[in-house]
Amino acid sequence: MSIILVRHGETPLNVARTLQPAETPLSETGLKQAQAVAQRLAGLKIAAILTSDLPRALQTAQAIAAATGAPVTTTPLLHERNFGALRGQPYDSLPYNPLTMTEAPPGGESVAAFQQRVAQAFAQMVELRGRVDGHLAVVTHGLVIRALLAQHLPLGTDAMPLRVGNTSVTICGATPPHALELVDCTRHLDAQIAHDAKSLSGG
């Protein structure tokens, strides 16, 4: 059985390229994406769900729970990197790329502190997966998944996705070396887009 990493659905601030405050919820599109990934995972033996408790991740996890019947456990260890006073600001309004800054912004986390927290989250994932009979779904945020791929999963930097897609699915083995079976897959969204197009056309 595996660990299945899922990024949360789209939010209005994802679209606006804005650093997100903690309380940002999913958009209407994000809610549909959450339903689509939930239906994708419904056919698998999901035994438990571990999720960030930030609304955009928790809403996504709740959709998966409704489709699979799996219990949900929340943890702040899976929060997105805390950008402190920069939250709420558009990326393009800043004179630097906030996603690559190594130092801590005012009131936020440095890369080192963030990576240490992600390491704790990974240990929690592996421990929980070892206690359940089935797959563990983990719902979290884009930078967390990138940090997991870079630091804890056997993905070379050349293969790192430029951006982790909303509700993308990444699957890895539950035991070392945590072999990757799938990275950043959003094929479930193709079916959602086709369904929406058919509905709009009256088909």
Side-chain angles (χ1 to χ4, degrees):
M1 295 296 177
S2 303
I3 296 171
I4 302 173
L5 304 174
V6 180
R7 188 188 174 200
H8 63 78
E10 183 183 280
T11 72
L13 295 185
N14 285 150
V15 177
R17 288 179 46 79
T18 297
L19 291 165
Q20 303 194 66
E23 65 273 14
T24 305
L26 297 180
S27 64
E28 182 178 347
T29 296
L31 290 168
K32 290 180 179 179
Q33 291 174 338
Q35 291 297 327
V37 75
Q39 289 307 308
R40 177 176 182 174
L41 299 186
L44 303 178
K45 187 180 179 181
I46 304 296
I49 301 166
L50 183 66
T51 182
S52 158
D53 59 4
L54 297 184
R56 56 196 188 271
L58 184 56
Q59 287 177 288
T60 305
Q62 288 168 336
I64 296 170
T68 63
V72 175
T73 300
T74 63
T75 176
L77 293 176
L78 286 170
H79 283 186
E80 185 59 288
R81 182 180 171 190
N82 181 356
F83 286 96
L86 298 182
R87 289 183 294 193
Q89 297 192 44
Y91 301 158
D92 298 338
S93 70
L94 300 170
Y96 50 85
N97 183 350
L99 302 185
T100 59
M101 65 186 299
T102 57
E103 67 275 15
E109 283 180 302
S110 66
V111 164
F114 173 63
Q115 290 178 341
Q116 182 178 24
R117 175 165 61 79
V118 171
Q120 292 176 297
F122 185 67
Q124 184 178 5
M125 288 178 219
V126 172
E127 190 275 334
L128 177 55
R129 167 56 197 85
R131 290 193 282 111
V132 299
D133 181 22
H135 300 299
L136 172 67
V138 176
V139 185
T140 185
H141 306 266
L143 293 181
V144 175
I145 293 173
R146 287 180 62 86
L148 288 167
L149 288 169
Q151 302 294 323
H152 303 281
L153 302 175
L155 183 70
T157 55
D158 291 343
M160 181 70 70
L162 293 176
R163 177 183 179 275
V164 176
N166 288 110
T167 68
S168 72
V169 173
T170 296
I171 302 177
C172 69
T175 57
H178 303 291
L180 284 161
E181 302 168 30
L182 192 67
V183 176
D184 192 35
C185 178
T186 57
R187 67 170 182 261
H188 52 278
L189 297 184
D190 296 335
Q192 181 66 49
I193 291 167
H195 176 271
D196 289 349
K198 185 176 181 181
S199 297
L200 287 171
S201 67

